[in-house]
Coordinates of all heavy atoms in Angstrom, one line a residue:
M168 N 24.8 -33.0 163.0 CA 25.6 -31.8 163.2 C 26.9 -32.2 163.9 O 27.1 -33.2 164.7 CB 25.0 -30.9 164.3 CG 25.6 -29.6 164.4 SD 24.6 -28.4 165.6 CE 23.3 -28.0 164.5
D169 N 28.0 -31.7 163.3 CA 29.3 -32.0 164.0 C 29.7 -30.9 165.0 O 29.1 -30.0 165.1 CB 30.4 -32.2 162.9 CG 30.7 -31.1 162.0 OD1 30.5 -30.0 162.5 OD2 31.2 -31.3 160.9
C170 N 31.0 -31.2 165.6 CA 31.4 -30.3 166.6 C 31.8 -28.9 166.1 O 31.3 -27.9 166.8 CB 32.7 -30.9 167.3 SG 32.4 -32.3 168.2
Q171 N 32.3 -28.8 165.0 CA 32.6 -27.4 164.5 C 31.3 -26.5 164.2 O 31.3 -25.5 164.5 CB 33.5 -27.5 163.1 CG 34.9 -28.1 163.4 CD 35.7 -27.2 164.2 OE1 35.5 -25.9 164.3 NE2 36.7 -27.8 164.9
T172 N 30.3 -27.4 163.6 CA 29.1 -26.6 163.3 C 28.4 -26.2 164.6 O 27.9 -25.1 164.7 CB 28.2 -27.6 162.5 OG1 28.9 -28.2 161.5 CG2 26.9 -26.9 162.0
L173 N 28.4 -27.2 165.6 CA 27.9 -26.8 167.0 C 28.4 -25.5 167.4 O 27.8 -24.7 167.9 CB 28.0 -28.1 167.9 CG 27.4 -28.2 169.2 CD1 28.0 -27.3 170.2 CD2 25.9 -27.6 169.1
I174 N 29.8 -25.5 167.5 CA 30.5 -24.4 168.1 C 30.2 -23.2 167.4 O 29.9 -22.1 168.0 CB 32.0 -24.6 168.1 CG1 32.3 -25.8 169.1 CG2 32.9 -23.3 168.5 CD1 32.0 -25.6 170.4
S175 N 30.1 -23.2 166.0 CA 29.8 -22.0 165.2 C 28.3 -21.6 165.6 O 28.1 -20.3 165.5 CB 29.9 -22.2 163.7 OG 29.0 -23.1 163.2
Y176 N 27.5 -22.4 165.9 CA 26.1 -22.0 166.3 C 25.9 -21.7 167.8 O 24.8 -21.3 168.1 CB 25.1 -23.1 165.9 CG 24.8 -23.2 164.5 CD1 24.8 -24.5 163.8 CD2 24.6 -21.9 163.7 CE1 24.5 -24.6 162.5 CE2 24.4 -22.2 162.4 CZ 24.3 -23.4 161.7 OH 24.0 -23.6 160.4
L177 N 27.0 -22.1 168.6 CA 26.7 -22.0 170.0 C 26.3 -20.6 170.5 O 25.3 -20.6 171.4 CB 28.0 -22.3 170.8 CG 28.0 -22.7 172.2 CD1 27.0 -23.9 172.4 CD2 29.3 -22.9 172.9
S178 N 26.9 -19.6 170.2 CA 26.4 -18.2 170.5 C 25.0 -18.0 170.3 O 24.2 -17.5 171.1 CB 27.3 -17.2 169.8 OG 26.9 -15.9 170.1
D179 N 24.6 -18.3 168.9 CA 23.1 -18.1 168.6 C 22.2 -19.1 169.5 O 21.2 -18.7 169.8 CB 22.9 -18.4 167.2 CG 23.4 -17.2 166.3 OD1 23.6 -16.0 166.8 OD2 23.9 -17.5 165.1
Y180 N 22.7 -20.2 169.7 CA 22.0 -21.2 170.6 C 21.8 -20.6 171.9 O 20.5 -20.7 172.4 CB 22.7 -22.5 170.5 CG 22.1 -23.6 171.5 CD1 21.1 -24.4 171.1 CD2 22.6 -23.9 172.7 CE1 20.4 -25.3 171.9 CE2 22.1 -24.8 173.5 CZ 20.9 -25.5 173.1 OH 20.4 -26.4 174.0
L181 N 22.8 -20.1 172.6 CA 22.7 -19.5 173.9 C 21.7 -18.4 173.8 O 21.0 -18.0 174.8 CB 24.0 -19.1 174.4 CG 24.8 -20.3 174.8 CD1 26.3 -19.9 175.1 CD2 24.3 -21.1 176.0
D182 N 21.6 -17.7 172.8 CA 20.8 -16.5 172.7 C 19.5 -16.8 172.2 O 18.6 -15.9 171.9 CB 21.4 -15.4 171.8 CG 22.7 -14.7 172.4 OD1 22.8 -14.9 173.7 OD2 23.5 -14.4 171.6
N183 N 19.2 -18.1 171.9 CA 17.9 -18.6 171.3 C 17.6 -17.9 170.1 O 16.5 -17.5 169.6 CB 16.8 -18.2 172.4 CG 16.8 -19.0 173.6 OD1 16.9 -20.3 173.4 ND2 16.6 -18.4 174.7
N184 N 18.6 -17.8 169.3 CA 18.4 -17.1 167.9 C 18.3 -18.3 166.7 O 18.3 -17.9 165.7 CB 19.6 -16.2 167.6 CG 19.4 -14.9 168.4 OD1 18.3 -14.5 168.7 ND2 20.5 -14.2 168.6
L185 N 18.4 -19.5 167.3 CA 18.5 -20.5 166.1 C 17.0 -20.9 165.8 O 16.1 -20.7 166.7 CB 19.2 -21.8 166.6 CG 20.7 -21.8 166.8 CD1 21.2 -23.0 167.3 CD2 21.4 -21.3 165.4
S186 N 16.8 -21.4 164.6 CA 15.6 -21.9 164.2 C 15.2 -23.2 165.0 O 16.2 -23.8 165.6 CB 15.6 -22.3 162.6 OG 16.4 -23.5 162.5
A187 N 14.0 -23.6 165.1 CA 13.5 -24.7 165.8 C 14.3 -26.0 165.3 O 14.7 -26.8 166.1 CB 12.1 -24.9 165.6
E188 N 14.6 -26.0 164.0 CA 15.3 -27.2 163.5 C 16.7 -27.3 163.9 O 17.3 -28.4 164.3 CB 15.2 -27.2 161.8 CG 15.5 -28.4 161.2 CD 15.4 -28.3 159.7 OE1 15.5 -27.2 159.3 OE2 15.4 -29.3 159.0
L189 N 17.5 -26.1 163.8 CA 18.7 -26.1 164.4 C 18.9 -26.4 165.8 O 19.9 -26.9 166.3 CB 19.5 -24.8 163.9 CG 19.8 -24.7 162.4 CD1 20.4 -23.4 161.9 CD2 21.1 -25.7 162.1
T190 N 18.1 -25.7 166.5 CA 18.0 -25.8 168.0 C 17.9 -27.4 168.2 O 18.6 -27.9 169.2 CB 16.9 -25.0 168.6 OG1 17.1 -23.7 168.3 CG2 16.9 -25.2 170.1
A191 N 17.0 -28.0 167.6 CA 16.9 -29.5 167.8 C 18.1 -30.3 167.5 O 18.5 -31.2 168.2 CB 15.6 -30.0 167.1
E192 N 18.8 -29.8 166.5 CA 20.0 -30.6 166.1 C 21.1 -30.3 167.0 O 21.9 -31.2 167.4 CB 20.4 -30.2 164.7 CG 19.6 -30.7 163.5 CD 20.3 -30.4 162.2 OE1 21.6 -30.4 162.1 OE2 19.5 -30.1 161.2
A193 N 21.2 -29.0 167.5 CA 22.2 -28.7 168.4 C 21.9 -29.5 169.8 O 22.9 -30.0 170.3 CB 22.2 -27.2 168.8
R194 N 20.7 -29.6 170.2 CA 20.3 -30.3 171.4 C 20.8 -31.8 171.3 O 21.2 -32.5 172.2 CB 18.9 -30.3 171.7 CG 18.5 -28.9 172.2 CD 17.4 -29.1 173.3 NE 17.1 -27.6 173.7 CZ 15.9 -27.0 173.5 NH1 14.9 -27.6 172.8 NH2 15.7 -25.8 174.0
E195 N 20.5 -32.4 170.2 CA 20.8 -33.7 170.0 C 22.2 -34.0 169.9 O 22.7 -34.8 170.6 CB 20.2 -34.1 168.5 CG 20.1 -35.6 168.2 CD 19.7 -35.9 166.8 OE1 18.7 -35.3 166.5 OE2 20.3 -36.7 166.2
H196 N 23.1 -33.0 169.4 CA 24.5 -33.1 169.5 C 25.0 -33.0 170.8 O 25.8 -33.9 171.3 CB 25.2 -32.1 168.5 CG 26.6 -32.2 168.6 ND1 27.3 -33.1 167.7 CD2 27.5 -31.7 169.3 CE1 28.5 -33.1 167.9 NE2 28.8 -32.2 168.9
L197 N 24.5 -32.1 171.6 CA 24.9 -31.9 172.9 C 24.7 -33.0 173.9 O 25.3 -33.3 174.8 CB 24.4 -30.5 173.5 CG 24.8 -29.3 173.0 CD1 23.9 -28.1 173.2 CD2 26.2 -29.0 173.5
A198 N 23.5 -33.7 173.6 CA 23.1 -34.9 174.5 C 24.1 -36.1 174.2 O 24.2 -36.9 175.1 CB 21.7 -35.3 174.0
T199 N 24.8 -36.1 173.0 CA 25.6 -37.2 172.8 C 27.2 -36.9 172.7 O 28.0 -37.8 172.7 CB 25.3 -37.9 171.3 OG1 25.4 -36.8 170.6 CG2 23.9 -38.4 171.4
C200 N 27.5 -35.6 172.9 CA 28.9 -35.2 172.7 C 29.4 -34.5 174.0 O 28.9 -33.4 174.3 CB 29.1 -34.3 171.6 SG 30.9 -33.8 171.4
R201 N 30.1 -35.2 174.7 CA 30.6 -34.7 176.1 C 31.6 -33.5 175.8 O 31.3 -32.5 176.7 CB 31.4 -35.8 176.8 CG 31.7 -35.5 178.2 CD 32.0 -36.9 179.0 NE 33.1 -37.6 178.3 CZ 34.4 -37.5 178.7 NH1 34.6 -36.7 179.7 NH2 35.2 -38.1 178.0
N202 N 32.4 -33.3 174.9 CA 33.1 -32.2 174.6 C 32.4 -31.1 174.5 O 32.5 -29.9 175.0 CB 34.1 -32.4 173.4 CG 35.3 -33.3 173.7 OD1 35.7 -33.5 174.8 ND2 36.0 -33.8 172.6
C203 N 31.4 -31.1 173.5 CA 30.5 -29.9 173.3 C 29.7 -29.5 174.5 O 29.5 -28.3 174.8 CB 29.7 -30.1 172.2 SG 30.6 -30.1 170.6
H204 N 29.4 -30.6 175.3 CA 28.6 -30.2 176.5 C 29.4 -29.5 177.5 O 28.9 -28.5 178.1 CB 28.1 -31.5 177.1 CG 26.9 -31.5 178.1 ND1 25.7 -31.3 177.7 CD2 27.0 -31.2 179.5 CE1 24.7 -31.1 178.8 NE2 25.7 -31.1 179.9
V205 N 30.7 -29.9 177.6 CA 31.6 -29.2 178.6 C 31.7 -27.7 178.0 O 31.9 -26.7 178.8 CB 32.9 -29.9 178.6 CG1 34.0 -29.0 179.3 CG2 32.8 -31.2 179.4
V206 N 31.9 -27.5 176.8 CA 32.1 -26.2 176.2 C 30.9 -25.4 176.4 O 31.1 -24.1 176.8 CB 32.3 -26.3 174.6 CG1 32.3 -24.9 174.0 CG2 33.8 -26.9 174.3
L207 N 29.6 -25.9 176.3 CA 28.5 -25.2 176.6 C 28.4 -24.8 178.0 O 28.1 -23.6 178.3 CB 27.3 -26.1 176.2 CG 26.0 -25.5 176.5 CD1 25.6 -24.4 175.3 CD2 24.8 -26.5 176.5
D208 N 28.7 -25.7 179.0 CA 28.7 -25.4 180.4 C 29.6 -24.3 180.6 O 29.3 -23.3 181.4 CB 29.2 -26.5 181.2 CG 27.9 -27.5 181.7 OD1 26.9 -27.1 181.3 OD2 28.3 -28.4 182.3
T209 N 31.0 -24.3 180.1 CA 31.9 -23.3 180.5 C 31.5 -21.9 180.0 O 31.7 -21.0 180.6 CB 33.2 -23.7 179.7 OG1 33.6 -25.1 180.1 CG2 34.2 -22.9 180.1
T210 N 30.8 -22.0 178.6 CA 30.4 -20.7 178.2 C 29.4 -20.2 179.1 O 29.3 -18.9 179.3 CB 29.9 -21.0 176.7 OG1 30.9 -21.6 176.0 CG2 29.7 -19.6 176.0
Q211 N 28.5 -21.0 179.4 CA 27.2 -20.5 180.2 C 27.7 -20.0 181.6 O 27.3 -18.9 182.1 CB 26.3 -21.6 180.5 CG 25.3 -21.8 179.2 CD 24.4 -22.9 179.5 OE1 24.8 -24.0 180.1 NE2 23.2 -22.8 178.9
Q212 N 28.8 -20.5 182.1 CA 29.3 -20.0 183.5 C 30.0 -18.8 183.3 O 29.9 -17.9 184.1 CB 30.3 -21.1 183.9 CG 29.7 -22.2 184.7 CD 30.6 -23.4 185.1 OE1 31.8 -23.2 185.2 NE2 29.9 -24.6 185.3
T213 N 30.7 -18.7 182.2 CA 31.4 -17.4 181.9 C 30.5 -16.3 181.7 O 30.6 -15.1 182.2 CB 32.3 -17.5 180.6 OG1 33.2 -18.7 180.7 CG2 33.1 -16.4 180.3
I214 N 29.4 -16.5 181.0 CA 28.4 -15.5 180.6 C 27.7 -15.1 181.9 O 27.5 -13.8 182.4 CB 27.3 -15.9 179.7 CG1 28.1 -16.0 178.4 CG2 26.1 -14.9 179.6 CD1 27.2 -16.7 177.2
R215 N 27.4 -16.2 182.9 CA 27.0 -15.8 184.2 C 27.7 -14.9 185.0 O 27.3 -14.0 185.7 CB 26.5 -17.1 184.8 CG 25.3 -17.1 185.8 CD 25.0 -18.5 186.3 NE 24.6 -19.4 185.3 CZ 25.0 -20.7 185.3 NH1 25.7 -21.4 186.1 NH2 24.6 -21.4 184.2
L216 N 29.1 -15.3 185.1 CA 30.0 -14.5 185.8 C 30.0 -13.1 185.5 O 30.0 -12.2 186.2 CB 31.4 -15.1 185.7 CG 31.8 -16.3 186.6 CD1 33.3 -16.8 186.2 CD2 31.7 -15.9 188.0
Y217 N 29.9 -12.9 184.1 CA 29.9 -11.4 183.7 C 28.6 -10.8 184.2 O 28.6 -9.5 184.6 CB 29.9 -11.4 182.1 CG 31.3 -11.2 181.5 CD1 32.2 -12.4 181.5 CD2 31.8 -10.0 181.2 CE1 33.4 -12.2 181.1 CE2 33.2 -9.8 180.9 CZ 34.0 -11.0 180.7 OH 35.3 -10.9 180.3
R218 N 27.5 -11.5 184.0 CA 26.3 -10.9 184.6 C 26.4 -10.5 185.9 O 25.7 -9.4 186.4 CB 25.0 -11.8 184.2 CG 24.9 -11.9 182.6 CD 23.5 -12.3 182.3 NE 23.4 -12.2 180.7 CZ 22.9 -13.2 179.9 NH1 22.6 -14.4 180.5 NH2 22.8 -13.0 178.8
Q219 N 27.0 -11.5 186.9 CA 27.0 -11.3 188.2 C 27.8 -10.1 188.6 O 27.7 -9.4 189.6 CB 27.6 -12.6 188.9 CG 26.5 -13.6 189.0 CD 27.2 -15.0 189.6 OE1 28.3 -14.9 189.8 NE2 26.3 -15.9 189.7
R220 N 28.9 -9.8 187.7 CA 29.7 -8.6 188.1 C 28.9 -7.2 187.6 O 29.5 -6.3 187.7 CB 31.0 -8.7 187.2 CG 31.9 -9.7 187.9 CD 33.1 -9.8 187.0 NE 34.0 -11.0 187.3 CZ 34.7 -11.6 186.5 NH1 35.0 -11.0 185.3 NH2 35.5 -12.7 186.9
G221 N 27.7 -7.4 187.4 CA 27.0 -6.1 187.2 C 27.0 -5.7 185.7 O 26.5 -4.5 185.6
Q222 N 27.6 -6.5 184.8 CA 27.5 -6.1 183.4 C 26.2 -6.7 182.9 O 26.2 -7.8 182.4 CB 28.6 -6.6 182.7 CG 29.9 -6.1 183.3 CD 31.1 -6.3 182.4 OE1 31.0 -6.5 181.2 NE2 32.3 -6.3 183.0
R223 N 25.2 -5.8 182.9 CA 23.8 -6.4 182.7 C 23.6 -6.8 181.2 O 22.7 -7.6 180.9 CB 22.8 -5.3 182.9 CG 22.6 -5.1 184.4 CD 21.5 -4.0 184.8 NE 21.7 -3.6 186.3 CZ 21.2 -2.6 186.7 NH1 20.5 -1.9 186.0 NH2 21.4 -2.4 187.9
Q224 N 24.5 -6.2 180.3 CA 24.3 -6.6 179.1 C 25.0 -7.9 178.7 O 25.1 -8.2 177.5 CB 24.7 -5.5 178.1 CG 23.7 -4.2 178.2 CD 24.4 -3.1 177.6 OE1 25.5 -3.0 177.4 NE2 23.6 -2.0 177.7
G225 N 25.7 -8.5 179.6 CA 26.4 -9.7 179.4 C 27.8 -9.4 178.9 O 28.3 -8.3 179.1
L226 N 28.3 -10.3 178.0 CA 29.6 -10.1 177.6 C 29.7 -9.0 176.5 O 28.9 -8.9 175.7 CB 30.0 -11.4 176.8 CG 30.3 -12.7 177.6 CD1 30.6 -13.8 176.7 CD2 31.6 -12.4 178.6
P227 N 30.7 -8.1 176.7 CA 30.9 -7.1 175.7 C 31.1 -7.9 174.2 O 31.7 -8.9 174.3 CB 32.2 -6.4 176.0 CG 32.5 -6.8 177.3 CD 31.7 -8.1 177.7
P228 N 30.6 -7.4 173.1 CA 30.6 -8.2 171.9 C 32.2 -8.5 171.5 O 32.4 -9.7 171.1 CB 30.2 -7.0 170.8 CG 29.3 -6.2 171.7 CD 30.0 -6.1 173.0
R229 N 33.1 -7.9 171.8 CA 34.5 -8.1 171.4 C 35.0 -9.2 172.3 O 35.7 -10.2 171.9 CB 35.4 -6.9 171.6 CG 36.6 -7.0 170.7 CD 37.5 -5.8 170.8 NE 36.9 -4.5 170.2 CZ 37.3 -3.4 170.5 NH1 38.4 -3.1 171.2 NH2 36.8 -2.4 169.9
R230 N 34.6 -9.1 173.6 CA 35.1 -10.3 174.5 C 34.1 -11.6 174.2 O 34.8 -12.7 174.3 CB 34.5 -9.8 175.9 CG 34.9 -10.8 177.1 CD 36.5 -10.8 177.3 NE 36.7 -12.0 178.1 CZ 37.1 -13.3 177.8 NH1 37.0 -13.6 176.5 NH2 37.3 -14.2 178.7
H231 N 33.1 -11.3 173.8 CA 32.2 -12.5 173.3 C 32.8 -13.2 172.1 O 33.0 -14.4 172.2 CB 30.9 -11.9 172.8 CG 29.7 -12.8 172.8 ND1 29.3 -13.5 171.8 CD2 28.9 -13.2 173.9 CE1 28.3 -14.3 172.0 NE2 27.9 -14.1 173.4
A232 N 33.2 -12.4 171.2 CA 33.9 -13.1 170.0 C 35.1 -13.8 170.4 O 35.5 -14.8 169.9 CB 34.1 -11.9 168.9
A233 N 36.0 -13.1 171.2 CA 37.3 -13.7 171.7 C 36.9 -15.1 172.3 O 37.8 -16.0 172.3 CB 38.0 -12.8 172.7
L234 N 36.0 -15.1 173.2 CA 35.6 -16.3 173.9 C 35.3 -17.3 173.1 O 35.8 -18.5 173.0 CB 34.5 -15.9 174.8 CG 33.8 -17.2 175.7 CD1 34.8 -17.8 176.7 CD2 32.6 -16.8 176.3
F235 N 34.6 -17.2 172.0 CA 34.2 -18.1 171.1 C 35.4 -18.6 170.2 O 35.4 -19.8 169.8 CB 33.0 -17.7 170.3 CG 31.6 -18.1 171.0 CD1 31.1 -17.0 171.6 CD2 31.1 -19.1 171.1 CE1 30.0 -17.2 172.4 CE2 30.0 -19.4 171.9 CZ 29.4 -18.3 172.6
D236 N 36.2 -17.7 169.9 CA 37.5 -18.0 169.2 C 38.2 -19.1 170.0 O 38.6 -20.1 169.5 CB 38.2 -16.9 169.0 CG 38.1 -16.1 167.7 OD1 37.1 -16.6 167.0 OD2 38.7 -15.3 167.2
Q237 N 38.4 -18.7 171.2 CA 39.1 -19.6 172.2 C 38.4 -21.0 172.3 O 39.2 -21.9 172.3 CB 39.1 -19.0 173.6 CG 40.3 -18.0 174.0 CD 40.0 -17.4 175.4 OE1 39.2 -17.9 176.1 NE2 40.6 -16.3 175.6
L238 N 37.3 -20.9 172.4 CA 36.6 -22.2 172.5 C 36.8 -23.0 171.3 O 37.0 -24.2 171.3 CB 35.0 -22.1 172.8 CG 34.7 -21.5 174.2 CD1 33.2 -21.1 174.2 CD2 35.0 -22.5 175.3
A239 N 36.7 -22.4 170.2 CA 36.8 -23.2 168.9 C 38.2 -23.7 168.8 O 38.4 -24.9 168.4 CB 36.4 -22.2 167.7
Q240 N 39.2 -22.9 169.2 CA 40.5 -23.4 169.2 C 40.8 -24.6 170.2 O 41.4 -25.6 169.8 CB 41.4 -22.3 169.4 CG 41.8 -21.5 168.2 CD 42.6 -20.1 168.6 OE1 43.2 -20.1 169.6 NE2 42.4 -19.1 167.7
A241 N 40.2 -24.4 171.3 CA 40.3 -25.5 172.3 C 39.8 -26.7 171.8 O 40.3 -27.9 172.0 CB 39.7 -25.0 173.7
L242 N 38.6 -26.7 171.2 CA 37.9 -27.9 170.7 C 38.6 -28.4 169.6 O 38.9 -29.7 169.5 CB 36.5 -27.5 170.3 CG 35.6 -28.7 170.2 CD1 35.2 -29.2 171.5 CD2 34.4 -28.3 169.3
A243 N 39.3 -27.6 168.7 CA 39.9 -28.0 167.5 C 41.2 -29.0 167.8 O 41.6 -29.8 167.2 CB 40.3 -27.0 166.6
S244 N 41.9 -28.4 169.0 CA 43.1 -29.1 169.4 C 42.9 -30.3 170.2 O 43.9 -30.9 170.6 CB 43.9 -28.1 170.1 OG 43.3 -27.6 171.3
R245 N 41.6 -30.6 170.6 CA 41.4 -31.7 171.4 C 41.3 -33.0 170.5 O 40.9 -33.0 169.4 CB 40.2 -31.6 172.0 CG 40.1 -31.1 173.4 CD 38.8 -31.0 174.0 NE 38.8 -30.1 175.0 CZ 37.6 -29.7 175.7 NH1 36.4 -30.3 175.5 NH2 37.7 -28.8 176.6
P246 N 41.5 -34.2 171.1 CA 41.1 -35.3 170.4 C 39.8 -35.5 170.2 O 39.0 -35.1 171.2 CB 41.9 -36.6 171.3 CG 42.1 -35.9 172.5 CD 42.2 -34.4 172.3
A247 N 39.2 -36.1 169.2 CA 37.8 -36.0 169.0 C 37.3 -37.3 169.3 O 36.1 -37.7 168.9 CB 37.6 -35.6 167.6
E248 N 37.8 -38.1 170.1 CA 37.4 -39.5 170.5 C 36.0 -39.6 170.9 O 35.5 -40.6 170.8 CB 38.5 -40.2 171.4 CG 38.6 -39.5 172.8 CD 39.8 -40.0 173.6 OE1 40.8 -40.0 172.9 OE2 39.7 -40.1 174.8
D249 N 35.6 -38.6 171.7 CA 34.3 -38.6 172.2 C 33.1 -38.2 171.3 O 32.0 -38.0 171.6 CB 34.1 -37.8 173.5 CG 35.1 -38.5 174.6 OD1 35.0 -39.7 174.6 OD2 35.6 -37.8 175.3
C250 N 33.5 -37.7 170.2 CA 32.7 -37.0 169.2 C 32.3 -38.0 168.1 O 33.0 -38.7 167.6 CB 33.2 -35.8 168.6 SG 33.2 -34.4 169.8
E251 N 31.0 -37.9 167.7 CA 30.5 -38.5 166.6 C 30.8 -37.9 165.4 O 30.6 -36.7 165.2 CB 29.1 -38.6 166.7 CG 28.6 -39.4 168.0 CD 28.5 -40.8 167.9 OE1 27.9 -41.3 166.8 OE2 29.1 -41.6 168.6
Ligands
ZN117 ZN1 30.7 -32.3 169.7

């Protein structure tokens, strides 16, 4: 799995919507790729913050999509030196 694929699956990964096979591939990538690990951490923190603010349903769908757009762009503009 490469970084772009990981990012495109990240939302489903966090929601446990991936197949066992894809989850294993995502975990494997996250274990070896520092960039994606940071993105995952940031995303989880953002989602946690929303939940702490009393929005029990987590991120509103539109905000959710915008967040992942931002993450994908941030990752795309980064040097990929740490990525396999
Ligand atoms: Zn990566």
Side-chain angles (χ1 to χ4, degrees):
M168 186 176 286
D169 61 22
C170 294
Q171 291 298 334
T172 312
L173 190 278
I174 294 302
S175 70
Y176 284 139
L177 192 61
S178 178
D179 286 332
Y180 175 76
L181 288 168
D182 292 336
N183 287 316
N184 285 335
L185 290 182
S186 68
E188 197 180 17
L189 280 173
T190 301
E192 282 188 40
R194 286 216 179 110
E195 199 183 310
H196 182 87
L197 286 162
T199 57
C200 180
R201 195 159 52 98
N202 280 348
C203 287
H204 198 84
V205 169
V206 171
L207 178 74
D208 266 5
T209 308
T210 308
Q211 282 178 324
Q212 277 169 25
T213 306
I214 291 170
R215 208 172 301 142
L216 275 177
Y217 267 84
R218 290 197 175 134
Q219 280 171 1
R220 283 178 196 159
Q222 300 192 23
R223 286 182 196 164
Q224 291 161 355
L226 292 173
R229 206 176 291 169
R230 183 72 189 88
H231 203 264
L234 175 68
F235 279 94
D236 268 5
Q237 267 174 20
L238 290 171
Q240 277 169 24
L242 196 75
S244 64
R245 261 183 208 180
E248 61 197 37
D249 293 323
C250 286
E251 302 272 313

